Amino acid sequence: MSFEAAVHAQAIELDRLALEMTAAAGAGHPSSSMGIGHIVTVLMFHTMRWSPDYPDYPTADRLVLSEGHAVPAVYAACAKLGVMYGKDPNNRRRLTIDDLKNLRSMNSELDGHPNPMEGFPFFDAATGSLGQGLSIAAGLAQAARLDGFDKRIYCIIGDGESREGQIAEALDYIIDHKLNKVLPIFNCNEFGQTDRVSSQQSAERMEAKLEAYGFDVKVIDGHNPTQIKNAFDAFEKATKPMAVVAKTVKGWGAESMQGAGWHGKPATGDALKKALAELDQKRMELTSSLAQSDSFTIEPPPEISTPDLAVGDMPGMPEAMKSFDMESLMHSGVVATRRAYGIALRALGRVNKKVVVLDADVSNSTFSEMFKKDSGSADRFFECKIAEQNMVGVGAGLSAAGKIPFISTFSKFFTRAYDQIEMAIYSGANLKLVGSHSGITLASDGPSQMSLPDVAWFRSLGTMKDHRGNPGCYVLQPSDAYSAYALVGVMAEYEGACYMRTLRADTEFLYSDKDVFNLGGFQTLAEGKDLVIAACGYMVHEANKAIELLDKAGISATLLDMYSLPFDSDGVLDLINQANGNIITLEDNYGGGLGSAIADALTESGDAFRLKQMHVTRIPKSAKTPDEMLKMCGLTAQDVVKEAKKLLGVD
Amino acid sequence: MSFEAAVHAQAIELDRLALEMTAAAGAGHPSSSMGIGHIVTVLMFHTMRWSPDYPDYPTADRLVLSEGHAVPAVYAACAKLGVMYGKDPNNRRRLTIDDLKNLRSMNSELDGHPNPMEGFPFFDAATGSLGQGLSIAAGLAQAARLDGFDKRIYCIIGDGESREGQIAEALDYIIDHKLNKVLPIFNCNEFGQTDRVSSQQSAERMEAKLEAYGFDVKVIDGHNPTQIKNAFDAFEKATKPMAVVAKTVKGWGAESMQGAGWHGKPATGDALKKALAELDQKRMELTSSLAQSDSFTIEPPPEISTPDLAVGDMPGMPEAMKSFDMESLMHSGVVATRRAYGIALRALGRVNKKVVVLDADVSNSTFSEMFKKDSGSADRFFECKIAEQNMVGVGAGLSAAGKIPFISTFSKFFTRAYDQIEMAIYSGANLKLVGSHSGITLASDGPSQMSLPDVAWFRSLGTMKDHRGNPGCYVLQPSDAYSAYALVGVMAEYEGACYMRTLRADTEFLYSDKDVFNLGGFQTLAEGKDLVIAACGYMVHEANKAIELLDKAGISATLLDMYSLPFDSDGVLDLINQANGNIITLEDNYGGGLGSAIADALTESGDAFRLKQMHVTRIPKSAKTPDEMLKMCGLTAQDVVKEAKKLLGVD
């Protein structure tokens, strides 16, 4: 057969469909799609080993479309191949050409940008916020290596989006981990949204950069079927990481839609007719040698019976610490929650092989190094170096392949990966984010290392329901080692996103391994009749001191350890009502966190109450100790007592 | 004189002081500081044109210490030079050797990481969250070029932190804008926190990468005074961007503190004695040729009388639109707030030359292109391409040099720059962040382009006071073109951080240019007695429809346009009380935003009320129109009516 002609014919068909579906949608990016028609054709009809009947089969090669707005090209290919889709895995149907006209409509799985959770399992992750796909591809490859699958991951990246620093982070990561089963394909069509892309992202510059990063680079004409095929063949044989720089034409096949001014614009009316006519002309030119018999064969993925890894029970923390020769620390009764996280990770790693751990060069601060140093789990620890955006993306990829990624760094340093975290949540990723050095009590390093608006942001995600009907994210703030240890186990058993804040400072035990901790739960540490003090994390200890001082002053207060957001509001409201509706909230971050969550619950209830929120209300600076810091921020036990008396109108 | 010996002597002195001040602080990073002792010495005692009497003089060369944890080296140099410091610009004092022992204490300006706002004007920005310095340096250079200052910006970047993608973004930006007055100095000491840095950040790899990016690269021994000096001399003559890769030794001069295990650890007791002794030994070896007469001379910056740019008044929007030939659009009465932002920017640019604008390849969506295309302001528009972290950092640098940066992209795409935004706020940057396509009403592109937890995050920053005593950030959500236009002027006059959300969808005029908008203000669009509906942005229009429907149902409601967070809560509470304490909040994002802000205000007041928060409570997907989207999310006028009736207990 004439491979060339067959690819051209198919690519032109995809281009036509991209034009038509975006016209029907009245939105979308046809010209971007037309720029990758040939590459998508060779990948999906020829190179990839996969099955349209089971697009998410574990051993199937994967395509990550980082430039998600070009998705019509992939939807078109899936329609031509009758790929199975649908939200319910047990009740999928074949995508038809007719379905394409529903692109971007409210009831269609064909979302504006790729999104597996909306019912399109061909994809592993939601993309569209640019620069994120290559990290996800790297995570998929890392998982395949762990599973022993000979699986290739292809990632199409726009030239404009390769300006995003996360791409550089992902490239370094791929070289560090020798992930030669990931193929970054840079789609250099020379045009961004407003104008030409920078010469820093030209094909020539990309080639030079990729070589400097350590890749074998193949520069190809992205519309030449043989050059595309040869590059992919070379990749199959590659023993070191390889990258493709594809020179493409945005709006290929329809000159009337090329150059600037056509980004994200569907062609309609005469413009559509003209573009389609230009494509017809191209077909005549390029597919004359096409024989009736010409067709593609797609190699299916190797069949496997995925071993359902048996999951054992975690021992209690004392038992775990004993087995790790940490008895003396255990008996000290003072263990930082970040250290408890490390202990729990190590214990968890031994009973659950699905658990993988990522860290960003701070594993000796977050204590994830305990997992890294255990011979039973060392191969499931992935050092990401100081590149948090890529780390979260790799985690999302690992999750898409069925792993349970625990990702740790300082809480503050997750901030620059919030977009990646949000996209991962939209992808349905089973993320366990664990940030250490949370809040203000790390003291002397100062605000550049402190997480302060973080609780508000993650809590906001918890005010909506994810695709599984659970809170978009749980925020967990353990106050002692026992609760931190227990919550690691709870997170591992739960499918969905969690963010746990651990502390730099050592804290005394408040619990034992008899105590139970749940997502949405809280603990009552003292019961009083005059007032409730609701605190979390480090502040539970400060509140404890306040309770004693209040007791001496004849005020009896209830102390709640609000280790989870969201929480069981009925339970909390009952206790507040029993204390005449008087409540003080105490947290080590800016507002919008625990205090606002309580305010939301109270105002929804309609009960009568008096609430005083205590949180950080200034930009902190360095101080030598947590106590100095709490003083600076007006959050000491004495400050709580003062506010309590004010609230109760005594003295 | 023996330059070599003099530099060694001074560097060793800085190293000693770094050891001593971190020992006194009981925290800090002496080994990192010792790795840059020679570079800091040559820069601050020899190469830079600046004055210790006036470290922030406008024309002075600047040093940006991206690896902020190495700051003891700079504090030591400033103490040796008696640099002026202190929070009050009119009441500064000279830093003394004795002051150094207060490093990191509560009442010292010597914070754990660089921070000008705590009283150390030698620095332009707070650093310490890694990977951000080079973008700030680029912004400083861009400002100097605008001001016509022959000013050089030196930026020291750690090898570990150069893994952060933002560094790659900054490098591309420097080449794009030919900023040959910025010198990136990569400090390659080969050690990160937990281990060696990746070979991807080795001196050899950095050299190759930097050349591929387009830099002239000088690789030097970072402890060889002549090599350092020669590199800086070459930079002074450079006509294209240059970079230095300095091979250094972490813990130089004290072998006992070199290699892994010494990151962020002060030496105390015997370890300190040993390290100091090793430094003494070095001094004997390296400074024998030092003559008494040897000393450095620092060239002062050129004196200038900074022209205080006269600021004119912005015309009203109709007048501006008339002058821009947009009368027909004006008369249509329907103008998207994002377009009003563009109109206002263009008008503002003509009357205020301090205003600069940055965008990330979406200026035709955000409408910042109106500023770019006006010949009067084109030279103050900086295209950052698709790299939001660098864009925010460049903005912080421009602000540090006295410019007023308006920075725009989609609200969603600011998310990945939240760490940079937070650090810029700690730096006191005068940021005006304007995000377009906010909330859910952009509809068809789907959630990858929607900003949903953004209000909660920025609101959290608004719950604390910045160094000027103002809210850390104002969140502005104009509902129509007039308010958007007016708020651009308000932001320009205000010194501090603001985040304005504009909308993709066109919206009808609700105001005229007689209406006044203030930070902290709100507008009353209807007055009723049964209920208050508090909405913002697009939702004000939906609320308007609800008001009519309610009126037909015999329910009279007050409508508040809550365009500012934080807001004047007394004013809002009065109106709620006048409506029997019944209130519904309506917003197009996840929870933790306007609704929680009102809940916080109500619960603080102790007044009785009934509050229903309406916000996005699911992960949205694509829909074709804003109306479809609002329906999907249960936020239509009809939904509001339903909730209002429920709240009032009618039918």
Side-chain angles (χ1 to χ4, degrees), chain A residues 63-298:
Chain A
L63 170 60
V64 177
L65 186 66
S66 190
E67 53 172 321
H69 55 274
V71 70
V74 176
Y75 287 151
C78 288
K80 295 284 293 180
L81 292 164
V83 169
M84 298 296 283
Y85 79 119
K87 256 189 168 172
D88 174 3
N90 308 313
N91 182 23
R92 289 178 180 166
R93 58 200 191 280
R94 293 196 182 283
L95 187 69
T96 67
I97 302 292
D98 195 48
D99 295 333
L100 297 179
K101 66 173 188 317
N102 301 322
L103 172 72
R104 295 181 168 226
S105 23
M106 188 168 163
N107 302 317
S108 168
E109 292 87 346
L110 304 183
D111 226 48
H113 292 76
N115 191 340
M117 297 307 280
E118 292 302 334
F120 210 80
F122 178 83
F123 292 116
D124 290 285
T127 54
S129 184
L130 293 171
Q132 303 190 20
L134 189 56
S135 305
I136 290 155
L140 290 167
Q142 203 109 53
R145 179 181 286 170
L146 276 179
D147 292 333
F149 297 160
D150 167 35
K151 182 169 165 178
R152 300 188 193 105
I153 321 294
Y154 300 86
C155 182
I156 301 177
I157 306 150
D159 47 3
E161 76 168 316
S162 32
R163 181 82 165 215
E164 290 285 10
Q166 188 183 352
I167 297 290
E169 295 177 358
L171 292 171
D172 277 340
Y173 185 87
I174 287 167
I175 297 290
D176 268 355
H177 294 267
K178 303 182 178 58
L179 296 173
N180 61 334
K181 299 290 189 181
V182 180
L183 183 64
I185 303 165
F186 290 92
N187 169 34
C188 295
N189 64 27
E190 295 185 352
F191 285 92
Q193 174 176 322
T194 59
D195 199 352
R196 288 184 164 275
V197 299
S198 160
S199 57
Q200 289 300 101
Q201 278 68 47
S202 69
E204 298 62 34
R205 183 71 83 184
M206 290 305 298
E207 178 185 14
K209 285 181 177 177
L210 287 162
E211 279 170 353
Y213 275 78
F215 285 81
D216 278 337
V217 186
K218 298 255 178 303
V219 180
I220 62 169
D221 171 350
H223 301 290
N224 179 314
T226 308
Q227 287 189 31
I228 298 169
K229 178 178 178 305
N230 292 347
F232 294 162
D233 290 347
F235 168 62
E236 291 178 18
K237 300 181 195 66
T239 53
K240 65 172 277 199
M242 189 184 124
V244 168
V245 173
K247 296 183 178 182
T248 61
V249 177
K250 197 168 179 174
W252 181 90
E255 278 187 22
S256 60
M257 292 181 65
Q258 295 169 10
W262 270 102
H263 182 89
K265 276 202 197 127
T268 53
D270 292 344
L272 177 60
K273 284 200 196 72
K274 189 169 197 324
L276 291 171
E278 289 171 310
L279 280 174
D280 290 338
Q281 182 57 36
K282 274 280 177 200
R283 180 191 279 106
M284 305 231 282
E285 292 165 20
L286 298 171
T287 68
S288 52
S289 66
L290 190 65
Q292 278 309 331
S293 64
D294 284 351
S295 69
F296 298 100
T297 51
I298 299 176

Side-chain angles (χ1 to χ4, degrees), chain A residues 24-25 27 29 101 103-106 108 111-113 118 127-130 132 160-161 163-166 168-169 172-173 175-176 192-196 198 200-201 205 208-209 212-214 361-365 383-389 412-413 415-416 418-420 422-423 426 444-445 447-450 452-453 456-457 459-461 463-467 590-592 596 599-600 603 609 611 613 615-619 621-624 628 632, chain B residues 24-25 27 29 101 103-106 108 111-113 118 127-130 132 160-161 163-166 168-169 172-173 175-176 192-196 198 200-201 205 208-209 211-214 361-365 384-389 412-413 415-416 418-420 422-423 426 444-445 447-450 452-453 456-457 459-461 463-467 590-592 596 599-600 603 609 611 613 615-619 621-624 628 632:
Chain A
H29 301 71
K101 66 173 188 317
L103 172 72
R104 295 181 168 226
S105 23
M106 188 168 163
S108 168
D111 226 48
H113 292 76
E118 292 302 334
T127 54
S129 184
L130 293 171
Q132 303 190 20
E161 76 168 316
R163 181 82 165 215
E164 290 285 10
Q166 188 183 352
E169 295 177 358
D172 277 340
Y173 185 87
I175 297 290
D176 268 355
Q193 174 176 322
T194 59
D195 199 352
R196 288 184 164 275
S198 160
Q200 289 300 101
Q201 278 68 47
R205 183 71 83 184
K209 285 181 177 177
Y213 275 78
D361 192 36
V362 289
S363 59
N364 56 342
S365 291
E383 176 57 62
C384 299
K385 298 297 182 183
I386 307 174
E388 297 77 10
Q389 298 192 325
K412 175 66 160 67
F413 305 149
T415 312
R416 68 177 65 201
Y418 279 6
D419 193 22
Q420 289 73 11
E422 192 180 337
M423 292 301 294
Y426 296 165
S444 91
D445 279 318
S448 70
Q449 320 288 299
M450 296 174 178
L452 298 167
W457 190 77
R459 180 178 89 86
S460 184
L461 292 166
T463 65
M464 61 82 174
K465 294 272 184 284
D466 68 14
H467 295 95
Y590 297 149
S596 290
D600 289 347
T603 51
F609 56 84
L611 165 65
Q613 292 189 35
H615 58 71
V616 179
T617 58
R618 59 161 282 175
I619 297 174
K621 66 171 297 304
S622 291
K624 290 204 172 175
E628 269 190 9
M632 184 194 302
Chain B
H29 300 72
K101 66 173 187 316
L103 172 72
R104 294 179 169 228
S105 35
M106 189 168 165
S108 169
D111 228 48
H113 292 78
E118 292 301 335
T127 53
S129 185
L130 294 171
Q132 302 190 22
E161 75 169 316
R163 181 82 166 216
E164 290 284 10
Q166 187 183 351
E169 296 177 358
D172 276 342
Y173 185 87
I175 297 291
D176 268 355
Q193 175 176 322
T194 59
D195 199 353
R196 288 184 165 273
S198 159
Q200 288 299 103
Q201 278 67 47
R205 183 71 84 185
K209 286 182 178 178
E211 279 170 354
Y213 274 80
D361 192 37
V362 288
S363 58
N364 56 343
S365 290
C384 300
K385 299 297 181 183
I386 308 176
E388 296 77 11
Q389 299 193 326
K412 175 66 156 72
F413 306 148
T415 312
R416 70 176 66 202
Y418 279 5
D419 192 23
Q420 289 74 12
E422 192 180 336
M423 290 301 293
Y426 297 165
S444 91
D445 279 317
S448 70
Q449 320 290 298
M450 296 175 179
L452 298 166
W457 190 77
R459 180 179 89 85
S460 184
L461 291 167
T463 65
M464 62 83 172
K465 293 276 185 284
D466 68 14
H467 296 96
Y590 297 148
S596 290
D600 289 346
T603 51
F609 55 86
L611 164 66
Q613 292 190 36
H615 58 71
V616 179
T617 58
R618 58 159 285 174
I619 296 173
K621 66 173 295 306
S622 291
K624 289 204 172 176
E628 269 189 9
M632 184 195 299

